[in-house]
Amino acid sequence: MAAEIIEFPERGRKDRLVSSVARLEAIISEVERFAPDDPGSGLDGLLAAMERMGHQLVDLACLLLDDQTRAQAQIAFISLTDKIAETRDTFDRLGGRSST
């Protein structure tokens, strides 16, 4: 397996990187709290947390990845956001929760 060198952002962007990672960790902790509880009733919160996580990952991608890879990440997370919206719509049609 070949090692890959990751170039971290310049010192001026270090605070933004640290802040972005901290926000991502907070979202992950939030998702971990939903998991042991009743996932069905917490679906809306779980989907919202997934959306926020996607946004944070795109933010990190902007800091760490080259232009081509960053564009691929953005496309992937746009697709994720679309799938989350579809999941909400389907769940609403099935009467699983009230709209927020």
Side-chain angles (χ1 to χ4, degrees):
M1 183 167 109
E4 184 176 330
I5 297 174
I6 299 174
E7 292 183 30
F8 287 95
E10 298 103 36
R11 189 164 176 76
R13 293 177 13 176
K14 182 180 177 183
D15 290 339
R16 184 171 170 214
L17 177 63
V18 170
S19 175
S20 188
V21 169
R23 287 190 304 267
L24 184 59
E25 288 174 347
I27 293 167
I28 291 169
S29 294
E30 182 180 342
V31 170
E32 288 172 343
R33 284 192 303 270
F34 283 119
D37 297 336
D38 180 17
S41 65
L43 181 66
D44 191 47
L46 208 70
L47 292 173
M50 288 173 61
E51 284 178 317
R52 288 194 310 279
M53 187 181 303
H55 292 295
Q56 280 310 123
L57 290 170
V58 168
D59 190 45
L60 284 169
C62 290
L63 292 169
L64 299 174
L65 303 176
D66 61 49
D67 290 339
Q68 182 180 4
T69 310
R70 183 180 320 135
Q72 291 172 348
Q74 288 174 324
I75 290 168
F77 288 113
I78 288 169
S79 176
L80 174 62
T81 300
D82 292 344
K83 294 296 182 191
I84 290 170
E86 288 175 24
T87 301
R88 280 192 173 120
D89 289 345
T90 300
F91 203 59
D92 284 344
R93 281 194 305 271
L94 295 173
R97 68 170 176 86
S98 59
S99 296
T100 55

